[in-house]
Every structure is written in C-alpha cells, then in structure tokens.
C-alpha cells in the first residue's frame, strides 16, 4: 500500500487541481449564470431610463432549463442486475437505497447535462458506504488520459466558505477542501480567495498558485483503502474524443441570446409603437396665462375631436406590427427544437403542431427518445461503475469484479397503458414469453412492485394447489368394489362373507 503524501507533494497536487478548476471555471460560471437567469446580455446605454432597464430585465426568455428537464425526466435507474441473475445485486439494497439515490440520482444527470460532466464520490462509511454527488463547480478531477481513463489520478472537492473565527478581520474567509488519491483522503482549510476564479475575457486564469503552501500539521489524513481514486465521472456523451463533452446548454447559448434580443425588440415595440398615435395639424393651440399650450380636447373613447377651422386635418400613425417579432422568436425555437431533438410541442412553438394523429405525434417524439436512449447508455456505464465501487467499499468482491452487470432503466416512453397491455399480451400468448418476464416492461412499474407481484403470484399458486387438493376425491374412493362385500350402515365395507364349503366326498357321506 502506498504511503501518504507529505506536505510538499500535497501542495503541488493541490496547485495542479486548483489550476485545472480555474481553467474550466469560466465556461461553468457562464452556463450557471444563464441557467439561473442572471445573464441577459442585452446592451444597456449609460443614459438608459428606469423604464428601459425594466424592459431589459423582462426580456429574459429562458428556455435552457426546459432543455435539461426534457431529458432528465426520462432518466431513472430502477435496478442493478448482476450477470446471470434475475434479482437485484445486494449492493442495490445495501448501498443505493440507504443513500437515497432514487431521488438524488436526478442531480447527477442534470449536472452532467448542464455542464457536460458531474461526479459521485464513494467512501467507506458506517454502517454503509457513503455516496456523495457533486457538480463540476464543486469538484475537479485530473486524469492521465481525460478521454479514456476510468479512474482519475487525483480529485479535490470544495466546501462552502466560512469566516475565520481566529481572525480579527470579519471579511477573512476560509474553505475546507478534500483531496483524494487511490488510498487516502486529505482534508485541510485554505483561504477562500485562492478558490474563487479570476475570470477574464479568456474565461479564466490557468496560472498555478505559486504562493499557496499547505501546513501539513493541519491536514487531516484518513485512509479509504479502495485502491482507486474513489471518484466516478458522469459524462454527458462520449462523442467528442478531442475535448470531451460540453453539455447541452453551452452550444445553445447563442440561440438563447437571440431569443432574449428578439424578446427585447418585441417589448420595445409593444411599449412604444403598438398603440396608434393620433395627430392634428392646421390649428392654433390655446395658451394659458403663462404662455403654456393647453390641450384642446379631453381625449376619451366616448368623445370625438372637432375643430372650427377648415384648415385642420386629423390623422394617426399606424401601429407597429408585432407579428414579425413573434415569427422570428418561433423560428429560433424551431431551430433549438431541431438541434436538440426536442418535439416542437414541448417548446410551444406557435401553431407548428396542431390537429395531428397519434402516429404523427409518436414520430415527432422518436428523435427525442433516441436522444434519451443515447444518454441512458452513457450514464448507465457510470452508474455501473459507481455500484461496483460501492460493492468494493462494502467488501463485496464479487460485485466489484462483475463487469457484466447491467442497470435497469425505467421505461418513460409516453404510451397509453392500453397499447402496452395489448403488445405485452401478444408477446405472452403468441410468442410464449413468460408473463413474469414482461412485468418490468410496463411503464411506471418499479422493482418493488414486481417483487410484490411475484409474492402474490406465488401465494395465488399455493392457494390454487390447496383448492385442487381439497376438490379431489378422498384416497381409495375410486377403488373397485369387491363382489359380495358387505357394507355397514356407515357406508364402509364390512367383513367378507364366509367362503362356501366344498361338498363332502363319498367318505363323508
């Protein structure tokens, strides 16, 4: 077993990790700002009025969270089956369920969809191993080969900043970080200032932290002994073999900016040019005692303007047509729908989808289902790796070495229950597929439901056997009756009749 790092080695590793964190923080912070609706990216001049700034604030037409939710809602792991087994692996009930991963798994998928990757840390615990999901904004891992390696060399998780109690300055903050390698975990507090990336136009300063020095006497070292750095990476896809995935949000930022700009133009036209302005010429306006013009009419919907002068002319300016802005926004939404394989009706794109058949609606969903299936393949590998590591953390060598085990994804395809029941019934009756093997293909059915159904089926089978046994005739009731046998009053066979004596021969006569 390798020895723990000393102070100089730990300082160098932390410098590498924090430099990597700073290098990727520019893109992650930009994506986070757009997702939280904090960035609008519309030019505001210095002389802008309060009304102008309010219109800019209202111009945020943010569809990025919807892109993430449309995929994340179709991803749910419902079981983990070892090779050559029909039941879940012991690690499922021993680790996955106690860590509440039925609910927490969604955060892993959403973070990976948003930023391109997310992480889960597995460490031994009491009474069961502990699984901790992380966003890439709070954990950074360094790989020898970032594309092909399964396990990282080192990783660092970042805690939340807190005030330094011993300091006289109320603004001095520190943050607890944990560095992980293949054998140990190192926990230490560092100044919060070195963890905050100094973003610039190059999206971050990747220079190493030359001034950072860690006092090893303040480092808490604990041994996990797993033999690998216990960090599992969830990749949004494995398509880009050069730079890795960027997530589904970052490529859509230009389209999001276009939506915001179009919405701002729509609001400006709606505020200042959508109302018909009336004008009048050829008349002299009366003035008050101070020489200020006096409005000649009290305009209202039930009043008519009139003038005694024959030279007076009335007219109005045509209102601005808003249809162009709305059509432009719909075209951008259709582009996003096509680029992200999302059905147009999910984004409510004008009247792009109306009065279509169920078959046409299923065809519109086909591309989206393919996209969900692609992400199930990517995330499924990570979940399998996570559960294998959890098995090792609980001492289950068989689970750790089983690389053929498969996760079971819940079927979230939008289909009617009648269609599913009809298809599954035909598989059972026409192709001879056992009905129990088809239960897990019913949409919305959990593994707990299947186990309860199996138990009920076994009880029903036992009750059927008991009923058949009770309905059967008693033993011996179907034996043939012996001729001449006597029957007692209670219906049972009596004693046998005496056999006839032979007639006496001549000697006995």
């Amino acid at each position: 077993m390798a020895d723990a790092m000393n102070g100089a080695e730990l300082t160098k590793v932390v410098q590498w990790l924090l430099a990597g964190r700073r290098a990727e923080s520019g893109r992650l912070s930009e994506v986070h700002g757009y997702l939280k609706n904090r960035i609008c990216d519309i030019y505001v001049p210095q002389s802008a009025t309060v009304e102008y700034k309010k219109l800019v604030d209202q111009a945020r037409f943010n569809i990025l969270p919807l892109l993430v939710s449309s995929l994340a809602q179709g991803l749910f792991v419902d079981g983990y089956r070892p090779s050559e087994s029909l039941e879940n692996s012991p690690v499922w009930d021993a680790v996955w369920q106690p860590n509440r991963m039925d609910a927490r798994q969604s955060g892993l998928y959403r973070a990976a969809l948003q930023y391109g990757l997310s992480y889960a840390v597995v460490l031994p615990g009491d009474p069961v191993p502990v699984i901790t999901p992380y966003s890439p904004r709070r954990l950074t891992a360094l790989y020898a080969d970032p594309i092909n390696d399964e396990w990282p060399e080192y990783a660092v998780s970042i805690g939340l900043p807190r005030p330094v109690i011993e300091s006289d300055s109320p603004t001095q903050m520190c943050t607890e970080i944990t560095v992980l390698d293949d054998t140990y975990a190192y926990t230490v507090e560092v100044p919060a200032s070195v963890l905050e990336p100094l973003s610039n136009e190059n999206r971050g300063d990747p220079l190493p932290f030359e001034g950072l020095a860690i006092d090893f006497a303040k480092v808490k070292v604990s041994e996990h002994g797993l033999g690998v750095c216990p960090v599992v990476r969830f990749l949004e896809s494995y398509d880009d073999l050069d730079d890795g995935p960027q997530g589904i949000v970052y490529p859509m930022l230009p389209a999001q900016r276009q939506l915001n700009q179009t919405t701002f133009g729509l609001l400006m036209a709606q505020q200042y040019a959508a109302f018909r302005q009336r004008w009048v010429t050829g008349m002299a306006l009366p003035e008050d005692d101070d020489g200020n013009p006096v409005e000649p009419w009290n305009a209202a919907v039930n009043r008519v303007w009139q003038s005694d002068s024959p030279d007076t002319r009335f007219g109005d300016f045509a209102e601005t047509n808003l249809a162009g802005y709305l059509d432009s926004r719909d075209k951008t939404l259709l582009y996003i729908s096509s680029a992200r394989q999302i059905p147009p009706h999910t984004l409510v794109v004008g009247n792009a989808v109306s009065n279509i058949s169920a078959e046409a609606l299923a065809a519109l969903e086909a591309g989206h289902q393919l996209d969900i299936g692609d992400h199930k393949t990517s995330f499924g590998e990570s979940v399998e790796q996570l559960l294998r590591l959890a098995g090792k953390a609980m001492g289950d060598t068989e689970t750790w070495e089983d690389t053929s085990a498969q996760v079971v994804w819940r079927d979230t395809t939008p289909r009617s229950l009648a269609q599913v029941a009809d298809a599954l019934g035909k598989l059972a009756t026409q192709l001879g597929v056992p009905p129990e093997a088809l239960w897990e293909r019913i949409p919305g059915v959990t593994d707990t439901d299947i186990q309860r159904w199996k138990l009920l089926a076994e009880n029903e089978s036992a009750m059927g056997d008991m009923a058949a046994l009770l309905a059967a005739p008693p033993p011996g009731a179907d034996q043939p009756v012996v001729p001449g046998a006597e029957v007692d009053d209670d219906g049972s066979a009596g004693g046998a009749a005496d056999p006839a004596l032979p007639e006496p021969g001549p000697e006995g006569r």
Side-chain angles (χ1 to χ4, degrees):
M1 183 175 294
D3 296 332
M5 291 185 288
N6 56 37
E9 293 171 339
L10 182 61
T11 299
K12 183 175 293 185
V13 168
V14 170
Q15 289 178 349
W16 290 343
L17 288 167
L18 295 185
R21 167 181 166 80
R22 175 168 291 187
E24 66 179 4
S25 64
R27 180 182 65 86
L28 299 180
S29 298
E30 183 179 15
V31 170
H32 182 72
Y34 270 97
L35 285 169
K36 298 302 180 182
N37 220 15
R38 297 170 184 167
I39 301 177
C40 190
D41 214 13
I42 294 177
Y43 173 71
V44 180
Q46 293 182 352
S47 60
T49 62
V50 175
E51 185 178 19
Y52 185 99
K53 294 179 180 179
K54 284 186 176 293
L55 291 178
V56 171
D57 184 64
Q58 295 172 12
R60 292 179 173 91
F61 193 82
N62 193 0
I63 51 88
L64 298 176
L66 179 59
L67 302 183
V68 176
S69 296
S70 64
L71 279 174
Q73 290 171 354
L75 301 171
F76 189 89
V77 171
D78 225 1
Y80 179 64
R81 307 285 169 79
S83 55
E84 301 179 357
S85 176
L86 300 178
E87 305 294 335
N88 280 328
S89 171
V91 74
W92 180 262
D93 293 324
V95 180
W96 181 273
Q97 295 293 344
N99 278 276
R100 312 184 314 279
M101 290 305 294
D102 279 350
R104 300 168 72 200
Q105 61 177 307
S106 177
L108 284 168
Y109 309 146
R110 287 180 179 271
L113 293 170
Q114 292 167 354
Y115 304 111
L117 72 166
S118 61
Y119 299 97
V121 175
V122 181
L123 291 173
D126 185 19
V128 297
V130 179
I131 301 175
T132 308
Y134 282 99
S135 158
R137 301 179 68 243
R138 289 195 55 200
L139 187 144
T140 301
L142 292 183
Y143 292 77
D145 185 346
I147 302 299
N148 299 309
D149 282 357
E150 184 179 19
W151 305 101
E153 299 290 326
Y154 302 100
V156 59
S157 62
I158 311 298
L160 299 177
R162 65 170 183 83
V164 179
I165 305 300
E166 300 80 6
S167 174
D168 296 332
S169 173
T171 60
Q172 185 175 355
M173 308 288 286
C174 67
T175 302
E176 185 178 86
I177 65 173
T178 300
V179 178
L180 299 167
D181 62 12
D182 57 359
T183 307
Y184 297 95
Y186 310 82
T187 303
V188 64
E189 291 184 347
V190 298
S193 58
V194 304
L195 301 176
E196 295 298 329
L198 303 177
S199 300
N200 53 30
E201 60 182 4
N202 296 322
R203 300 191 183 279
D205 179 13
L207 296 178
F209 300 85
E210 298 292 348
L212 178 64
I214 294 179
D215 184 2
F216 198 74
K218 299 180 179 179
V219 178
K220 178 183 178 181
V221 182
S222 58
E223 180 180 349
H224 59 76
L226 294 178
V228 295
C229 185
V231 176
V232 178
R233 178 177 56 176
F234 285 72
L235 290 176
E236 185 265 326
S237 72
Y238 286 83
D239 295 342
D240 192 347
L241 298 181
D242 294 322
D243 302 320
Q246 294 182 327
I248 67 173
V249 173
Y250 189 74
M252 292 290 105
L253 292 186
Q256 179 61 60
R257 298 188 190 100
Q258 183 178 344
L259 280 175
N260 292 344
Q261 187 66 49
T262 303
T263 303
F264 176 70
L266 172 65
L267 293 176
M268 289 289 289
Q270 183 177 291
Q271 180 75 8
Y272 297 109
F275 181 77
R276 297 175 62 183
Q277 299 291 333
R278 292 175 172 82
W279 53 265
V280 60
T281 62
M283 69 173 297
L285 295 179
E287 297 180 351
D288 58 14
D289 296 338
D290 298 327
N292 298 318
V294 177
E295 185 177 359
W297 305 287
N298 184 12
V301 295
N302 59 348
R303 291 186 174 92
V304 178
W305 293 2
Q306 64 87 25
S307 174
D308 297 334
S309 174
D311 298 328
T312 302
R313 296 178 58 194
F314 297 96
D316 57 22
F317 298 105
E319 72 275 12
T320 299
N321 188 0
L322 304 181
Y325 294 100
L326 297 173
D327 185 64
S328 174
R329 192 163 66 180
D330 280 353
K331 291 298 189 291
T332 304
L333 290 174
L334 281 175
Y335 161 74
I336 295 174
S337 174
S338 176
R340 287 302 326 147
Q341 295 180 280
I342 296 178
H345 56 272
T346 301
L347 297 178
V348 196
V349 183
N351 58 353
V353 178
S354 60
N355 297 327
I356 62 175
S357 63
E359 291 76 12
L361 192 61
L364 289 175
E365 291 275 355
H368 184 51
Q369 294 302 319
L370 290 175
D371 194 19
I372 292 178
D374 189 26
H375 286 89
K376 284 181 178 180
T377 302
S378 176
F379 293 149
E381 290 294 330
S382 299
V383 175
E384 292 166 8
Q385 180 184 353
L386 173 68
L387 290 172
R388 287 179 53 235
L389 181 60
K392 186 172 187 178
M394 63 181 289
D396 188 351
T397 306
E398 183 179 357
T399 298
W400 165 250
E401 295 177 349
D402 187 3
T403 57
S404 300
Q406 296 288 326
V407 296
V408 179
W409 291 95
R410 179 176 296 180
D411 186 5
T412 57
T413 306
R415 291 191 299 263
S416 68
L417 186 59
Q419 289 178 316
V420 175
D422 182 64
L424 297 182
K426 291 179 179 178
L427 289 175
T429 57
Q430 298 180 10
L431 300 182
V433 179
E436 290 80 359
L438 301 173
W439 288 349
E440 63 186 23
R441 297 183 177 272
I442 302 175
V445 172
T446 65
D447 187 70
T448 304
D449 295 332
I450 295 176
Q451 296 300 326
R452 184 169 64 252
W453 292 353
K454 289 182 178 180
L455 181 61
L456 292 175
E458 292 174 358
N459 292 339
E460 184 177 355
S461 177
M463 292 299 295
D465 294 342
M466 178 65 69
L469 182 61
L470 294 176
D478 56 348
Q479 294 182 1
V481 179
V482 178
E486 296 181 357
V487 179
D488 296 338
D489 294 339
D490 58 356
S492 60
D498 294 336
L501 296 177
E503 295 183 0
E507 303 87 358
R509 290 180 181 174

